[in-house]
Amino acid sequence: CEKGFLLSDFKTLYPSVNIIGTEISQYAIDNAMDNIKSSIIKVDNFSKLHFANKSFDFLQIGLLKPF
């Protein structure tokens, strides 16, 4: 999610959708775009997200792989 640029673009294009971003960096959340900051949640372990099945209609996943 980082600072929420992509989330902000989605919210601008589709203002009625509910958007949730996940981020491990508190710095990124603290410095996220103001219009999306409240939609970003801090997570420590992406394998243990607590969302019910079928909570989302669309997922965008970006992963960084260490070299």
Side-chain angles (χ1 to χ4, degrees):
C1 178
E2 297 179 356
K3 295 183 182 179
F5 295 109
L6 183 60
L7 294 179
S8 180
D9 289 346
F10 270 99
K11 193 67 173 172
T12 298
L13 291 170
Y14 307 101
S16 64
V17 299
N18 183 27
I19 292 178
I20 298 172
T22 56
E23 179 57 54
I24 61 172
S25 168
Q26 188 62 50
Y27 175 84
I29 296 170
D30 291 344
N31 293 282
M33 300 180 72
D34 289 335
N35 68 325
I36 209 71
K37 190 180 291 194
S38 65
S39 298
I40 303 173
I41 59 172
K42 173 96 166 69
V43 295
D44 294 318
N45 187 339
F46 285 103
S47 66
K48 295 183 180 182
L49 296 176
H50 300 286
F51 294 105
N53 287 341
K54 299 183 180 183
S55 293
F56 302 99
D57 294 319
F58 174 79
L59 294 174
Q60 191 281 326
I61 301 172
L63 300 174
L64 295 177
K65 179 180 174 184
F67 294 96

